[in-house]
Amino acid sequence: MTQACHRKCVPPHYKDTELSKGESVCLDRCVAKYLEVHERMGKKLTELSLQDEELLKRMQQGTGTA
């Protein structure tokens, strides 16, 4: 995230010691988007994991009763 947002928002050659307003806004948005996507992916992976566990339980119950 740090490298990606830095590449996107801060020019490779800079002379100022402080970020410009535009660079700061860009970095804030970039980080916010990254964190939002990270949260969504975590939720989706958790959902898929729970589905896999449920499927495995069903399969085990199916073979246990046969």
Side-chain angles (χ1 to χ4, degrees):
M1 171 188 68
T2 302
Q3 290 176 345
C5 290
H6 187 271
R7 265 194 316 269
K8 179 180 180 180
C9 298
V10 180
H13 303 289
Y14 49 90
K15 298 174 185 170
D16 295 334
T17 57
E18 301 290 324
L19 293 171
S20 71
K21 175 117 175 131
E23 292 166 343
S24 293
V25 169
C26 180
L27 287 168
D28 286 344
R29 288 179 180 166
C30 184
V31 170
K33 287 178 184 179
Y34 178 88
L35 293 175
E36 182 182 340
V37 168
H38 183 73
E39 181 183 357
R40 284 184 184 183
M41 286 177 55
K43 286 180 180 178
K44 187 63 176 178
L45 289 173
T46 300
E47 180 184 314
L48 292 172
S49 178
L50 292 173
Q51 288 175 358
D52 285 349
E53 287 178 21
E54 184 63 31
L55 181 60
L56 184 60
K57 285 180 186 176
R58 289 181 192 163
M59 289 174 61
Q60 289 174 342
Q61 289 174 352
T63 42
T65 59

